[in-house]
């Protein structure tokens, strides 16, 4: 039997010279820039995740640090860089893709377990070495897992407030979104934001520990609470923000210049008073939280969406932590009007799908449609429906 021909769409780092497909990214200069910054910080290793500061399911181009550094564009992965090694861990959805996109600077590890990453770090980093990361990109659970993996082995897990990938990326990093943050019309919500705030404050009063504040990090939490929408992240109608809600004050951290006039008017309509929203710069949340915890307070937060960076600011005795914040739990229970809106949206979507199936019946026998043009067509049919804001994820299209 003939030997199978070698694949030319994936890298071959054992060849001399190494073979790279045209889909691979040359990361030599990027790694050199990052390693220079690591030396200035005394960092022996730097961990780069695929997340953003809000633990979002999808991220914006500006937050695609892993993609920029490695060339790998899958949605899940972790990279670790030392002065002489670079490695990427990802799951089985992306192994072939990684072999197409990585150059030979990178080792590929076909797992995502933190134990595996920890073992690699123990081999690659000398005893007494520093393992660094940006604590505002790691969940509390993930931080604790790395801490356990390195415990008692002489390596120090060191949070760095400055993100080294952002520094290396420099002027080439995509700019933050400048599009409008707008109010969702009342016909879609069933509750005003003032009513929602009152409900959350009621839950605070009813909690046995009587928290004085709720900290919101999940982007959908703030968007839902204030009936605001944006488009900072593809397929998600959210905007970069944090909220600190107390019994008498509301602090909303975002890019204030992007608020529509109507949204700003709505948020400021209760000023002065307990329903006055104080607009603060997005980047000021940490400093504000540090000031707030100086007093006799208790901060309630959901650990699923809060990064270790914010969590670490609050002393344990001033912390009330649950998996999900009271906003996420309240948001999960839809009122009658929201249920009606959900059903209406599904009816409109069903119309688009039926139109698509009819189109396929006519078009496929003519040999004029493939998976890609099919996906484009159903997107167009959905966009044509009233109130459409686009798909909720990129259409996944396959046949045969």
């Amino acid at each position: 039997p003939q030997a199978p021909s070698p694949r030319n769409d994936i890298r071959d780092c054992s060849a001399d010279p190494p073979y790279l497909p045209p889909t691979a990214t040359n990361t030599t200069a990027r790694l050199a820039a990052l390693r220079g910054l690591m030396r200035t910080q005394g960092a022996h290793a730097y961990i780069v995740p695929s997340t953003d500061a809000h633990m979002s399911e999808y991220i914006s181009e500006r937050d695609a640090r892993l993609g920029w550094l490695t060339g790998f564009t899958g949605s899940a992965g972790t990279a670790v860089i030392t002065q002489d090694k670079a490695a990427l861990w990802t799951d089985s959805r992306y192994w072939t893709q990684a072999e197409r996109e990585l150059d030979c600077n990178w080792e590929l590890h076909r797992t995502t377990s933190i134990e595996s990453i920890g073992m690699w770090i123990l081999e690659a980093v000398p005893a007494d070495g520093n393992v660094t990361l940006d604590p505002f990109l790691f969940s509390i659970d993930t931080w604790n897992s790395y801490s356990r993996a390195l415990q008692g082995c002489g390596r120090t897990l060191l949070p760095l407030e400055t993100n080294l990938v952002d520094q290396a990326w420099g002027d080439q990093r995509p700019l933050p979104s400048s599009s409008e943050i707008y109010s969702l019309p009342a016909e879609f919500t069933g509750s005003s934001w003032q009513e929602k705030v009152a409900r959350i404050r009621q839950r605070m009063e009813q909690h046995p520990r009587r928290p004085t504040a709720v900290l919101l990090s999940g982007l959908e939490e703030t968007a839902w609470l204030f009936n605001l929408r944006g488009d900072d992240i593809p397929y998600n109608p959210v905007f970069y923000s944090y909220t600190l809600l107390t019994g008498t004050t509301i602090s909303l951290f975002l890019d204030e210049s992007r608020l529509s006039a109507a949204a700003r008017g709505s948020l400021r309509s209760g000023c002065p008073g307990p329903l006055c929203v104080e607009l603060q710069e997005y980047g000021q949340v940490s400093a504000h939280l540090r000031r707030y915890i100086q007093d006799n307070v208790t901060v309630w937060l959901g650990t699923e969406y809060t990064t270790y960076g914010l969590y670490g600011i609050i002393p344990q005795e001033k912390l009330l932590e649950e998996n999900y914040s009271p906003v996420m739990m309240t948001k999960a229970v839809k009122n009658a009007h929201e249920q009606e809106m959900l059903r209406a949206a599904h009816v409109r979507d069903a119309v688009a799908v039926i139109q698509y199936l009819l189109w396929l019946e006519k078009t496929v026998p003519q040999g004029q449609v493939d998976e890609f043009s099919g996906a484009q067509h159903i997107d167009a049919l959905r966009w044509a429906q009233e109130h459409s804001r686009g798909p909720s994820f990129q259409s996944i299209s396959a046949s045969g």
Side-chain angles (χ1 to χ4, degrees):
Q2 282 187 319
S5 60
R7 291 179 60 165
N8 63 1
D9 64 332
I10 61 173
R11 64 183 185 155
D12 182 357
C13 297
S14 63
D16 187 19
Y19 171 74
L20 294 177
T23 46
T25 299
N26 182 344
T27 63
T28 302
R30 298 172 187 187
L31 282 167
L34 179 64
R35 284 170 172 148
L37 292 163
M38 287 168 60
R39 282 193 293 274
T40 65
Q41 296 282 350
H44 296 98
Y46 191 64
I47 308 176
V48 181
S50 54
T51 51
D52 69 5
H54 303 272
M55 302 294 106
S56 306
E57 182 185 6
Y58 290 71
I59 58 171
S60 70
E61 283 185 14
R62 181 174 171 79
D63 281 319
R65 297 172 180 90
L66 186 77
W68 175 79
L69 183 67
T70 65
F72 168 69
T73 60
S75 69
T78 303
V80 184
I81 300 88
T82 67
Q83 285 300 332
D84 58 355
K85 290 183 174 177
L88 173 79
W89 285 258
T90 190
D91 65 72
S92 57
R93 294 172 296 169
Y94 294 120
W95 293 345
T96 303
Q97 180 177 340
E99 295 286 11
R100 289 173 176 162
E101 294 181 332
L102 296 175
D103 66 8
C104 290
N105 288 313
W106 293 91
E107 302 170 18
L108 175 63
H109 293 265
R110 291 171 163 77
T111 173
T112 55
S113 87
I114 288 175
E115 290 76 18
S116 162
I117 299 172
M119 296 286 287
W120 187 92
I121 287 172
L122 293 183
E123 286 186 17
V125 174
D128 302 326
N130 287 326
V131 179
T132 57
L133 48 74
D134 179 345
F136 291 93
L137 293 180
F138 286 81
S139 71
I140 300 158
D141 280 351
T142 306
W143 169 277
N144 289 337
S145 297
Y146 279 111
S147 204
R148 281 193 299 273
L150 300 175
Q151 202 164 23
C153 65
R155 281 77 170 174
T156 306
L157 192 60
L158 193 67
L160 288 182
E161 300 263 325
T162 310
N163 189 291
L164 300 186
V165 174
D166 292 353
Q167 282 192 307
W169 205 345
D171 297 344
Q172 301 303 306
R173 188 179 175 212
L175 294 170
S177 175
S178 57
S179 61
E180 189 174 71
I181 299 168
Y182 58 94
S183 290
L184 195 65
E187 65 189 275
F188 295 110
T189 61
S191 300
S192 69
W193 70 258
Q194 291 91 341
E195 289 168 329
K196 292 178 178 181
V197 164
R199 280 160 68 195
I200 302 306
R201 283 176 169 159
Q202 188 179 13
R203 291 191 67 160
M204 290 163 68
E205 287 167 18
Q206 291 168 347
H207 196 284
R209 282 196 54 195
R210 299 297 292 269
T212 60
V214 174
L215 175 65
L216 304 178
S217 291
L219 299 182
E220 60 268 52
E221 297 179 295
T222 289
W224 177 85
L225 184 62
F226 296 108
N227 292 332
L228 296 175
R229 297 293 185 268
D231 60 359
D232 292 14
I233 295 178
Y235 310 112
N236 292 261
V238 294
F239 51 92
Y240 287 105
S241 56
Y242 295 96
T243 299
L244 188 71
L245 173 68
T246 77
T248 55
T249 65
I250 309 167
S251 299
L252 172 56
F253 301 86
L254 80 175
D255 181 352
E256 186 185 338
S257 66
R258 294 172 50 203
L259 281 169
S260 70
R264 181 191 300 270
S266 168
L267 296 172
R268 304 292 292 165
S269 60
C271 298
L275 287 171
C276 171
V277 180
E278 296 163 16
L279 301 171
Q280 312 241 17
E281 272 304 306
Y282 172 76
Q284 289 300 306
V285 65
S286 298
H288 186 92
L289 194 56
R290 284 191 178 95
R291 286 194 299 274
Y292 181 71
I293 55 149
Q294 300 305 313
D295 297 321
N296 182 24
V297 296
T298 303
V299 180
W300 191 1
L301 55 78
T303 54
E304 288 290 318
Y305 289 87
T306 307
T307 62
Y308 183 79
L310 283 180
Y311 174 84
I313 291 172
I314 307 164
Q316 282 295 312
E317 69 275 8
K318 296 184 176 183
L319 195 58
L320 167 56
E321 49 183 296
E322 294 179 357
N323 285 350
Y324 297 100
S325 76
V327 168
M328 203 58 106
M329 299 303 286
T330 307
K331 170 182 171 294
V333 182
K334 302 303 180 191
N335 63 37
H337 188 74
E338 287 171 320
Q339 292 180 36
E340 188 187 326
M341 294 291 99
L342 279 167
R343 292 188 188 100
H346 276 284
V347 169
R348 291 194 299 274
D349 192 64
V351 170
V353 173
I354 291 163
Q355 290 173 330
Y356 179 58
L357 294 174
L358 179 64
W359 178 81
L360 283 178
E361 280 183 24
K362 291 178 177 175
T363 317
V364 169
Q366 300 168 14
Q368 291 176 353
V369 59
D370 57 28
E371 285 107 324
F372 184 66
S373 62
Q376 286 182 306
H377 191 72
I378 193 163
D379 284 351
L381 292 170
R382 285 181 160 136
W383 269 114
Q385 287 296 323
E386 191 183 12
H387 306 308
S388 174
R389 307 293 298 194
S392 61
F393 56 87
Q394 189 174 13
S395 288
I396 298 170
S397 177
S399 68

